[in-house]
Amino acid sequence: MARAIAHVPHAEAHEHHGPPGILKYVWSTDHKIIAMQYMFTGMLMAVIGGFMAYVFRMQLAFPGISVPGFGVVSPGEYNSLVTNHGSIMIFWVAMPVLIAAFGNFLIPLMIGADDMVFPRINRLSFQIFFVSAVLILASLFVEGGGFGGAWTAYPPLSASAEYNLTALGSTLWLVAVALEFVAFLLGGINFIVTLMNSRAPGMKAYDIPIVCWFIVIAAILFMLSVGPLIAGAVMLLFDQTLGTGFYDPTRGGDPILWQHLFWFFGHPEVYVVMLPAFGIVVEIIATFARKKLFGYKLVLYTAVITGVLSFFVWAHHQFVAGIDPRMANIFTVTTLMISVPVAELCFVIIATLYGGSITLSTPMLWALAFMAEFLLGGVTGIFLGASGADIYFHDTYFVLAHFHYTFFPIAIIGSFAGITYWFPKMFGKMMNETLGKIHFWGTVIPFNVIFIPLFVLGAAGQHRRIYNYQHFPELAGPEFQQLRVIATVALLVMLAFQLVFFANFFLSLRRKEKAPRNPWRANTLEWTTESPPPHGNWPPDEMPKVYRGPYEYSFPGRDDDFWPQNEPV
Amino acid sequence: MSFPKPIATTRSATGIPTGRLAIWWVLASEVVIFGGLLGSYVMHRLGHPEWADAAVHTNTWIGAFNTFVLLTSSLTAVLAHEAAHDGDGKQAAKYLMMTIGGALTFLLVKSVEWGIEISHGYTITANGFWAFYYTAAGLHAAHVIAGAVIMAFIARDAWRGRELQRVELIGIYWHFVDVVWIFLFPLLYIAK
């Protein structure tokens, strides 16, 4: 990278003042390096979160076994593993990889800017995030163990050490989550302002690639939904440490208040991570179908409507929490309504594929798999959004399987789609297609084998949050236990196939031949600079200008089937 | 150490300077934090008429005095902006120092007030009203402290004639801190 930036004056000045050697990567304010910091931290956390899933799935399939690499799982440890698996996968994997890593890497490159508008705030955002990651990991090793009150942290279980027995663990968990929010508020403001103000000359609102729009809409959703939860977290922290009674009904408080504050954030949060993944998929689909995106403005407005609606559905998580049945009716209607714009996004992608010249490259396979799996997640959501059905399904494995059919496509499939698509631009090398496809099938097939049995278990009424089913004879029948074993074995297979990804990742980094500037023959601006881009992205006197929208593929009458945004007519 | 600004920071596709655009988004994120807290308080207050017995013990006169102090400090923040607009960094710095003086007065009065209340046994754990009272006013005071510290840095730069546009930005933030107090004062002091 140092060679590439030698002729850029801005970068040169930076080089001289910047810290030397490896510290350059730690203290850099370059948006691409910060993106990599987020991505590698997210990957490390994903390995940890995956390991947790392995340990508690082993306990469920083979209760009481000494899990290789962990040992016998105690009930407290089981709760802590489940809680922190959820927290880590959402707050320290999905958010940093999908929003922070791709947002940081893509937004300045795709809008033709040399960096974020506030590079030092960007660095501060990662540093706070990193501290929060250290704290959540540290919380697992303090006296009493890590917090075990589920990632939703409902009081009174989360508020009182008398109940959760993890005085320090639950406080550390809460502080880590709050710090993570602060990091993403700082990063989000940076994303929003960069997209609004720093676009290349000529780039109008409807020339912005959809993925940038979606990441920024996600950042706005996050900002507007997380505030009440930050206030709620302060109250919970005071309940835990000072002994206030915000959530204690015996002292004038109300535990349901936390549920409202949590889900007012928690439901928009689904769309906060969904939109960036959808954006990545849209870019890939248009490129590999060699076709203009169907209905650019429709897609954009649909995302905005999804975002607005997402603020009016939160109480569908609380149908059994004793809320007024009339309120449950209203929230059932809004919840079913929100499936309309999301379905519209799926149809737009199908319409883009229709009549396209499709290449089934690895990124394209991931993008198509995202559609297929997310569709299943969305359809099963209808069952849970209807308050009548939810009363039966609530807190069963059906909810868990539904959740994973939405979040796995978003956080895992979406991230792999993005990484395989932009890998050449990020690292200047091509990934191996064969290994990529082996990894793809080795991930997607076992994923379905894990979670389809869990749908069946949930529909049979199997309650989640149970440490050992042998303690409940009516739930422990061999037909159920068999399904749990199948799910666990499939998880082992899926985890094993991730080694293929890491092998492909690191072997590709060591390849000799460099990736071309534009290996996929795509239109957006990031493909017009070197791979990897130098510091400042383009030489200061060659900053790109934009002449058209990002999806002009197979334009009639042109020899090339693509038309880069920066190419004058 | 001066930090070379990227091209991105100097662009303005919306026509609004980058810093001003960002500070409004900061305020948007703050509005929902205080909105969530005060919304929770109002809902609880409506559900607990007996909290009025606790609210009687807040001192409306001290609250009113602090309201006056904060509003005055907002005036000096505006005067600082005007001076910075005219390019007079030294005058802007002086007005910012006056604003910081207002912030310190506010905090001093508040600590005396809290000291008296705590000595009467009205602590944060006393009941639901006092829990919200200390949490909401405490969160606001944290914003006063943060604003005053940042303002000191900006005043130092302004004195040297650097980054004068930041005088306006901290002013916008300061007005927000003021507006939050305008909501807190009636909710905590006047509604008995």
Side-chain angles (χ1 to χ4, degrees):
Chain A
M1 185 163 269
R3 261 175 296 122
I5 57 180
H7 60 281
V8 185
H10 169 165
E12 215 164 24
H14 200 64
E15 281 290 282
H16 284 294
H17 294 299
I22 186 80
L23 281 179
K24 190 172 70 187
Y25 293 101
V26 178
W27 290 100
S28 173
T29 53
D30 187 302
H31 71 101
K32 300 180 289 295
I33 293 180
I34 293 171
M36 291 307 116
Q37 292 171 337
Y38 268 116
M39 199 170 86
F40 286 115
T41 315
M43 274 188 190
L44 180 70
M45 296 303 273
V47 171
I48 296 169
F51 176 76
M52 290 172 161
Y54 150 78
V55 175
F56 65 69
R57 280 299 333 164
M58 289 295 280
Q59 159 66 20
L60 286 170
F62 314 106
I65 187 192
S66 173
V67 179
F70 188 87
V72 177
V73 186
S74 73
E77 283 169 346
Y78 176 86
N79 287 342
S80 165
L81 285 168
V82 175
T83 301
N84 286 290
H85 165 77
S87 313
I88 285 177
M89 287 301 197
I90 290 171
F91 295 128
W92 284 275
V93 178
M95 300 229 357
V97 175
L98 282 170
I99 301 184
F102 284 113
N104 262 313
F105 187 78
L106 294 177
I107 290 176
L109 276 168
M110 283 186 140
I111 65 170
D114 57 340
D115 207 328
M116 287 283 172
V117 284
F118 304 118
R120 284 177 296 177
I121 289 183
N122 206 16
R123 177 179 62 187
L124 180 67
S125 153
F126 174 75
Q127 288 166 341
I128 294 176
F129 170 77
F130 188 79
V131 171
S132 77
V134 172
L135 276 183
I136 190 78
L137 294 180
S139 81
L140 303 172
F141 300 101
V142 295
E143 202 186 334
F147 177 54
W151 80 284
T152 51
Y154 280 5
L157 183 58
S158 60
S160 168
E162 204 181 316
Y163 304 131
N164 60 39
L165 305 177
T166 54
L168 191 50
S170 36
T171 301
L172 278 177
W173 179 90
L174 191 61
V175 171
V177 171
L179 280 182
E180 202 260 13
F181 292 161
V182 172
F184 280 89
L185 280 178
L186 292 175
I189 290 170
N190 227 336
F191 291 177
I192 298 166
V193 177
T194 305
L195 188 82
M196 286 177 79
N197 250 1
S198 305
R199 303 194 297 273
M203 183 178 260
K204 296 187 286 295
Y206 298 125
D207 297 334
I208 301 170
I210 285 291
V211 67
C212 295
W213 266 124
F214 277 20
I215 291 173
V216 166
I217 293 172
I220 295 174
L221 287 183
F222 177 78
M223 174 191 282
L224 297 182
S225 63
V226 82
L229 183 59
I230 292 180
V234 171
M235 293 190 245
L236 184 57
L237 188 69
F238 285 176
D239 272 12
Q240 286 177 349
T241 53
L242 300 180
T244 53
F246 286 111
Y247 302 116
D248 182 352
T250 61
R251 300 168 58 201
D254 184 1
I256 302 291
L257 171 65
W258 170 266
Q259 299 190 15
H260 283 299
L261 296 176
F262 184 86
W263 289 116
F264 184 77
F265 160 77
H267 206 86
E269 169 72 5
V270 175
Y271 300 95
V272 169
V273 290
M274 185 201 85
L275 285 174
F278 241 111
I280 289 168
V281 167
V282 163
E283 301 295 327
I284 294 171
I285 296 269
T287 304
F288 288 106
R290 313 308 294 168
K291 209 164 146 251
K292 187 170 179 163
L293 174 67
F294 182 90
Y296 178 101
K297 288 185 187 175
L298 178 80
V299 172
L300 184 56
Y301 295 147
T302 306
V304 173
I305 289 169
T306 312
V308 172
L309 274 178
S310 74
F311 284 95
F312 299 97
V313 299
W314 80 88
H316 67 216
H317 297 273
Q318 298 162 250
F319 285 149
V320 300
I323 63 170
D324 190 317
R326 287 165 298 182
M327 209 158 95
N329 274 343
I330 294 168
F331 279 96
T332 298
V333 173
T334 55
T335 304
L336 299 188
M337 267 166 68
I338 204 169
S339 56
V340 176
V342 178
E344 204 171 293
L345 287 177
C346 297
F347 281 121
V348 162
I349 287 178
I350 293 168
T352 307
L353 287 168
Y354 180 78
S357 166
I358 296 171
T359 312
L360 288 179
S361 59
T362 311
M364 184 65 162
L365 285 175
W366 285 114
L368 294 173
F370 172 88
M371 291 302 303
E373 307 294 359
F374 188 81
L375 198 66
L376 282 170
V379 168
T380 50
I382 306 281
F383 294 57
L384 301 168
S387 55
D390 181 69
I391 287 169
Y392 174 73
F393 283 123
H394 195 92
D395 241 357
T396 65
Y397 268 90
F398 192 90
V399 177
L400 188 143
H402 154 72
F403 175 89
H404 283 85
Y405 260 99
T406 57
F407 261 74
F408 188 90
I410 290 169
I412 307 297
I413 297 185
S415 299
F416 281 138
I419 290 170
T420 48
Y421 183 63
W422 279 290
F423 189 89
K425 189 51 67 183
M426 287 171 170
F427 302 105
K429 307 283 166 66
M430 300 300 287
M431 279 187 114
N432 184 313
E433 279 286 301
T434 315
L435 285 178
K437 282 174 184 162
I438 293 172
H439 170 235
F440 168 78
W441 291 110
T443 304
V444 168
I445 295 173
F447 161 69
N448 288 287
V449 182
I450 298 169
F451 290 103
I452 288 174
L454 299 189
F455 272 128
V456 177
L457 284 173
Q462 293 262 305
H463 202 278
R464 61 201 269 239
R465 306 189 203 286
I466 285 178
Y467 156 68
N468 183 346
Y469 284 88
Q470 308 308 316
H471 299 161
F472 301 88
E474 73 280 13
L475 298 177
E479 70 279 25
F480 296 137
Q481 194 57 29
Q482 221 161 30
L483 289 174
R484 281 191 277 272
V485 173
I486 291 172
T488 300
V489 172
L491 174 73
L492 296 180
V493 173
M494 188 175 90
L495 290 177
F497 268 99
Q498 302 317 303
L499 296 176
V500 179
F501 171 75
F502 286 109
N504 192 1
F505 192 96
F506 290 107
L507 288 177
S508 301
L509 282 182
R510 295 172 62 98
R511 274 164 90 127
K512 288 239 165 39
E513 66 269 44
K514 286 199 65 173
R517 283 183 178 220
N518 191 357
W520 314 121
R521 299 187 303 141
N523 287 343
T524 41
L525 292 177
E526 79 272 27
W527 304 107
T528 64
T529 183
E530 291 167 50
S531 303
H535 187 71
N537 297 341
W538 290 270
D541 48 343
E542 290 171 35
M543 296 300 282
K545 287 190 176 58
V546 171
Y547 297 92
R548 65 188 59 75
Y551 303 111
E552 298 298 336
Y553 291 105
S554 308
F555 194 84
R558 272 180 61 85
D559 294 338
D560 281 336
D561 66 349
F562 67 116
W563 201 358
Q565 284 188 280
N566 67 334
E567 206 168 274
V569 184
Chain B
M1 192 180 86
S2 76
F3 178 83
K5 279 186 183 157
I7 299 168
T9 316
T10 58
R11 281 183 181 163
S12 181
T14 55
I16 305 167
T18 299
R20 198 190 298 161
L21 194 59
I23 200 76
W24 282 108
W25 282 109
V26 171
L27 296 197
S29 69
E30 296 270 17
V31 164
V32 283
I33 296 177
F34 281 103
L37 188 61
L38 293 182
S40 305
Y41 166 69
V42 169
M43 294 304 284
H44 272 72
R45 185 75 194 264
L46 293 174
H48 295 275
E50 72 277 11
W51 284 12
D53 301 336
V56 167
H57 299 289
T58 58
N59 190 326
T60 312
W61 290 109
I62 294 184
F65 177 75
N66 257 349
T67 311
F68 174 74
V69 169
L70 264 196
L71 285 175
T72 312
S73 74
S74 253
L75 171 70
T76 51
V78 173
L79 292 173
H81 172 209
E82 208 171 72
H85 188 73
D86 297 337
D88 189 350
K90 287 205 163 43
Q91 188 61 36
K94 282 181 200 160
Y95 279 125
L96 284 182
M97 291 314 287
M98 286 184 215
T99 314
I100 295 173
L104 294 178
T105 312
F106 176 89
L107 293 169
L108 189 71
V109 172
K110 187 138 269 308
S111 18
V112 173
E113 181 193 10
W114 281 16
I116 297 170
E117 275 153 3
I118 291 169
S119 68
H120 283 77
Y122 305 128
T123 61
I124 190 166
T125 52
N127 75 2
F129 173 80
W130 291 107
F132 272 110
Y133 172 84
Y134 285 107
T135 307
L139 194 63
H140 175 261
H143 282 74
V144 173
I145 294 168
V149 170
I150 297 167
M151 211 176 281
F153 282 103
I154 291 176
R156 188 195 62 182
D157 276 352
W159 183 264
R160 298 171 186 165
R162 285 205 295 254
E163 307 279 10
L164 285 180
Q165 81 284 358
R166 287 183 184 162
V167 176
E168 181 197 356
L169 306 182
I170 191 69
I172 295 173
Y173 174 82
W174 198 250
H175 295 329
F176 168 76
V177 172
D178 212 354
V179 168
V180 170
W181 181 256
I182 298 295
F183 278 90
L184 288 181
F185 177 56
L187 285 173
L188 298 177
Y189 290 86
I190 298 181
K192 298 286 188 191

